[in-house]
Amino acid sequence: MIEKVLADLLAALDIVILERLDVTGTFRVIGTRPAWVAHFVSESDASDQCVRPAESFPFLSNFLEEAEGKWARKHAIPSRSGAWSEVTSAGEEYHFEATAVSTHDNDLLLIQRLGSEYLEWHTILQKARERNLQHRRETVEHVQTEARLGGMLDESEKIRDDLLSILNQLSLATVMTDVDGTVTFLSDAAQHLLDSGTTEVAGRSWYESCPFSKSERLALRTMANRAASERSKVQVHLSTTAHRRYAIDIDVQDDPRNPQRKIFFLYDTTEIHDLRRLLKEQGQFFDLVGQSGSMHKVFERVREVAGVDATVLIAGETGTGKELVARAIHASSPRAQHPFIAVNCAGLTESLLGSQLFGHKRGAFTGATEDHRGFFEAAQGGTIFLDEIGDMPMTTQANLLRVLQEKEITRLGESKPRRVDARILAATNQRLSEQVTAGKFRADLLYRIRVARIDLPPLRTRREDIPLLVTLFLGQAALTSGKTVEQVSTDAMQRLLRYSWPGNVRELKSAIDFAVIHCPGNVIRVSDLPPELLSGDDPLPTDLSTLADERDRVLAALEKTEGNRAAAARLLGVSRATLYRRLTSLNIPAEP
């Protein structure tokens, strides 16, 4: 029973298992190799089961050197490479992650294809199992093959034990159920997390045996009954007998062999929740984060304007968090229980913006097939946030001024005004006084919208907030990527602190997301950062097309990145594996 469960789970994870044969980097494929392996293995290797992963995947060179040390010591803790990408000769891109483990007397390398189709790999494993069952039937029918098949059975049992060990070393908390919801499998990680043993849970309904609250179990049941494309993670909490409280995100998936059976993947997010609480206590005001004096002034200004019903103008560069300030004002105001509606004035044409803000009557213009309620009516009793108000057309500005003065709007195609009650918050990254001088913005409207003002500082003027923001973004990236990148190296943090951040906090978040994706371990290094950060405040040029010779382009990229191969690959717009192949073909040393 357990062998079938493990085979099915490996099919879903799309993993090829390689057994190390010697220290020269030669491995033997255990079981049937996935179809995608042929794209990365030479024809000479394809004729047998032996492969050299370092030659097929240059990315693994350094990782395998580290793994050799763990294998030599029979280190029990698995080592992961982090995700990387490869491109086939046909231009198809694959994503992988490798894990080095020791099980029994074997040294194993697991290469998992991320985001692959589960059904193909499952079919291959299912066929292998059917052949194994056929061998067992032949044992009964042909006594003369008993010895040979007995050896095969022993090997099968050894593989089953290896698979169980592999699954547990992956530290993936997994609960599998039958069609009626009965628990059929509980991984070691799940037993530890749920504080339950297999004998206590196996054979019982997951709904009755899971130590969650009734409302959380109902939420899980509802999510399991939804179509796979409509599901999302369910957050639950539990307390163990050791008085340890966990926050857990549960992902419900269908069993690839039978959608009526379910697989529950449990992710411990306790540290992330603790981090969020710490941020809230030390430097977070709603979704605004900062410990600098300038940010504390912003927090204080938000508290001051939240209690009054005046119009507020929020000014600041792109990416400084103007909408977050608007949401904080709304959330801490008496209007918090009513709608908050954000409108980007730069993203709509003049006619469409007027219709969206004030609504229209059926037949008011071509395509107006029914009456439409505008944003001001939809925000009744709440707050409407007008982002990039400096780009609002002059005609719409006049209509907005009437709303501020009369507290009423008139739908397009109607003559009767309608009373509205919505607080207006506005934001801009422009100098509206200069826009008034240039005749692009109404002076009377400017005076009405800037009754209260909040100026957001750019990130380069509050660099002391960068470590706190980085910690927050690392936690968010862990949730979205599933990778446990825990910290930033000293050198990488210095790069983050020196960079000018023209895109402000939004650019910083993008840089951390980039680094987490490219980080092979659990610490972000300088080489994992985006190319524009690798030269401090001087962003790297991204266009080397002026150089006609390919060798010159590669050498120029290496010079710009000071020999950093990963950064050079990103600068050239190719994968790291492709760059290494080009280095070999151009007789350029693969290492600095």
Side-chain angles (χ1 to χ4, degrees):
M1 179 65 180
I2 190 65
E3 180 182 0
K4 177 178 180 61
V5 171
L6 292 172
D8 288 334
L9 190 54
L10 275 183
L13 296 175
D14 201 357
I15 294 177
V16 61
I17 305 174
L18 306 177
E19 180 184 11
R20 188 175 71 115
L21 299 180
D22 51 48
V23 296
T24 65
T26 303
F27 290 73
R28 177 176 66 89
V29 178
I30 297 178
T32 305
R33 70 175 72 187
W36 51 263
V37 174
H39 294 299
F40 304 98
V41 176
S42 63
E43 295 183 1
S44 59
D45 290 339
S47 60
D48 53 36
Q49 289 292 89
C50 293
V51 296
R52 297 178 65 83
E55 296 179 359
S56 302
F57 304 103
F59 173 84
L60 291 178
S61 299
N62 293 336
F63 175 68
L64 288 176
E65 291 180 4
E66 297 176 4
E68 285 291 343
K70 291 193 175 184
W71 284 330
R73 300 190 303 272
K74 292 300 178 185
H75 202 286
I77 300 176
S79 178
R80 293 184 173 85
S81 69
W84 83 92
S85 301
E86 299 285 349
V87 179
T88 67
S89 58
E92 186 177 4
E93 187 175 24
Y94 289 79
H95 307 284
F96 302 98
E97 184 176 32
T99 303
V101 299
S102 291
T103 61
H104 299 288
D105 297 326
N106 296 334
D107 299 327
L108 302 178
L109 178 67
L110 285 65
I111 301 180
Q112 179 180 12
R113 178 187 172 189
L114 307 177
S116 62
E117 293 293 333
Y118 298 146
L119 184 59
E120 177 183 357
W121 181 229
H122 168 69
T123 303
I124 294 172
L125 288 180
Q126 185 63 26
K127 289 181 179 179
R129 185 178 182 280
E130 291 173 357
R131 285 197 293 269
N132 186 34
L133 293 176
Q134 179 63 28
H135 286 318
R136 294 187 182 185
R137 287 195 292 269
E138 289 176 356
T139 302
V140 178
E141 299 171 357
H142 306 284
V143 179
Q144 64 273 23
T145 61
E146 220 171 53
R148 179 175 61 85
L149 291 179
M152 292 179 63
L153 182 59
D154 291 340
E155 180 66 19
S156 176
E157 291 296 325
K158 182 177 180 296
I159 292 175
R160 181 188 68 82
D161 293 339
D162 286 345
L163 293 178
L164 178 60
S165 178
I166 290 168
L167 178 61
N168 287 326
Q169 289 197 52
L170 286 174
S171 300
L172 187 62
T174 309
V175 179
M176 302 184 70
T177 67
D178 211 334
V179 293
D180 58 357
T182 301
V183 176
T184 59
F185 176 76
L186 197 71
S187 69
D188 285 353
Q191 293 179 44
H192 173 74
L193 198 58
L194 299 176
D195 200 23
S196 301
T198 303
T199 55
E200 302 173 22
V201 178
R204 296 176 57 193
S205 167
W206 72 265
Y207 186 82
E208 298 174 353
S209 58
C210 286
F212 309 135
S213 68
K214 184 177 180 180
S215 60
E216 291 171 340
R217 283 181 282 137
L218 286 173
L220 277 172
R221 173 180 286 177
T222 301
M223 196 62 65
N225 291 334
R226 290 183 181 177
S229 60
E230 299 177 356
R231 292 181 193 145
S232 59
K233 291 181 179 178
V234 177
Q235 186 181 106
V236 300
H237 298 82
L238 65 88
S239 299
T240 67
T241 54
H243 304 291
R244 166 74 166 154
R245 184 167 176 78
Y246 287 95
I248 301 172
D249 284 351
I250 301 181
D251 188 14
V252 184
Q253 298 290 337
D254 293 335
D255 189 320
R257 56 187 173 167
N258 185 344
Q260 297 301 315
R261 301 174 180 176
K262 304 300 177 186
I263 305 176
F264 296 81
F265 295 99
L266 286 69
Y267 302 95
D268 183 2
T269 58
T270 307
E271 291 185 2
I272 296 172
H273 286 274
D274 291 344
L275 171 63
R276 287 177 175 172
R277 186 182 67 253
L278 181 64
L279 283 170
K280 185 165 293 187
E281 293 172 354
Q282 295 185 350
Q284 188 165 12
F285 181 72
F286 291 93
D287 289 329
L288 297 167
V289 175
Q291 291 180 321
S292 61
S294 59
M295 284 306 295
H296 279 291
K297 289 181 180 179
V298 171
F299 299 162
E300 186 59 33
R301 292 291 289 161
V302 170
R303 294 187 187 98
E304 290 174 357
V305 302
V308 298
D309 217 25
T311 305
V312 182
L313 178 62
I314 306 166
E317 297 179 5
T318 298
T320 50
K322 294 185 288 296
E323 183 173 340
L324 296 181
V325 171
R327 291 183 180 276
I329 293 173
H330 172 75
S332 53
S333 74
R335 296 177 178 266
Q337 301 305 315
H338 297 282
F340 174 91
I341 296 180
V343 184
N344 188 336
C345 299
L348 299 172
T349 63
E350 180 176 351
S351 59
L352 187 57
L353 180 61
S355 171
Q356 291 296 314
L357 286 176
F358 311 118
H360 62 254
K361 182 181 179 181
R362 176 183 177 185
F365 52 85
T366 302
T369 58
E370 58 184 16
D371 290 349
H372 172 71
R373 185 177 65 161
F375 289 139
F376 273 100
E377 290 183 80
Q380 188 73 10
T383 304
I384 185 166
F385 172 58
L386 301 177
D387 197 8
E388 304 301 346
I389 195 171
D391 294 320
M392 178 178 285
M394 295 294 286
T395 304
T396 310
Q397 291 181 33
N399 294 330
L400 177 59
L401 185 61
R402 178 175 178 80
V403 176
L404 289 168
Q405 292 173 342
E406 308 296 336
K407 299 294 183 182
E408 60 184 27
I409 58 98
T410 303
R411 290 184 180 180
L412 298 181
E414 288 186 348
S415 58
K416 181 180 178 180
R418 298 169 181 262
R419 297 290 297 177
V420 292
D421 175 26
R423 182 182 188 179
I424 296 177
L425 305 178
T428 182
N429 60 3
Q430 305 179 36
R431 295 183 181 273
L432 292 185
S433 58
E434 296 178 0
Q435 294 287 90
V436 170
T437 303
K440 296 180 180 180
F441 200 84
R442 295 178 63 107
D444 48 359
L445 178 59
L446 174 60
Y447 303 145
R448 294 303 299 267
I449 64 174
R450 68 176 187 186
V451 174
R453 312 174 196 179
I454 296 179
D455 292 316
L456 287 181
L459 185 57
R460 61 182 174 274
T461 66
R462 56 183 187 103
R463 297 180 186 274
E464 61 268 39
D465 290 334
I466 291 178
L468 188 63
L469 288 164
V470 168
T471 302
L472 173 67
F473 296 151
L474 280 177
Q476 294 174 348
L479 281 177
T480 56
S481 68
K483 296 180 65 176
T484 54
V485 180
E486 300 171 350
Q487 55 184 310
V488 177
S489 70
T490 302
D491 290 343
M493 182 60 75
Q494 289 301 316
R495 293 289 182 117
L496 295 175
L497 291 170
R498 289 200 305 266
Y499 187 61
S500 62
W501 300 111
N504 292 293
V505 179
R506 184 183 295 134
E507 185 183 8
L508 174 60
K509 184 180 188 308
S510 176
I512 296 302
D513 290 340
F514 180 100
V516 168
I517 292 173
H518 292 82
C519 179
N522 60 359
V523 178
I524 292 177
R525 308 291 181 187
V526 172
S527 59
D528 301 319
L529 297 175
E532 58 269 20
L533 271 72
L534 298 181
S535 296
D537 282 346
D538 183 18
L540 293 174
T542 57
D543 185 9
L544 300 176
S545 60
T546 56
L547 300 175
D549 185 72
E550 182 179 15
R551 181 182 178 85
D552 290 342
R553 287 198 299 272
V554 172
L555 290 175
L558 291 173
E559 181 180 357
K560 290 291 184 183
T561 59
E562 300 178 354
N564 187 302
R565 267 50 179 167
R570 291 193 290 269
L571 189 60
L572 291 167
V574 299
S575 69
R576 194 182 305 185
T578 300
L579 175 61
Y580 275 102
R581 286 194 289 268
R582 289 186 184 180
L583 293 176
T584 302
S585 64
L586 296 172
N587 293 321
I588 299 175
E591 298 298 332

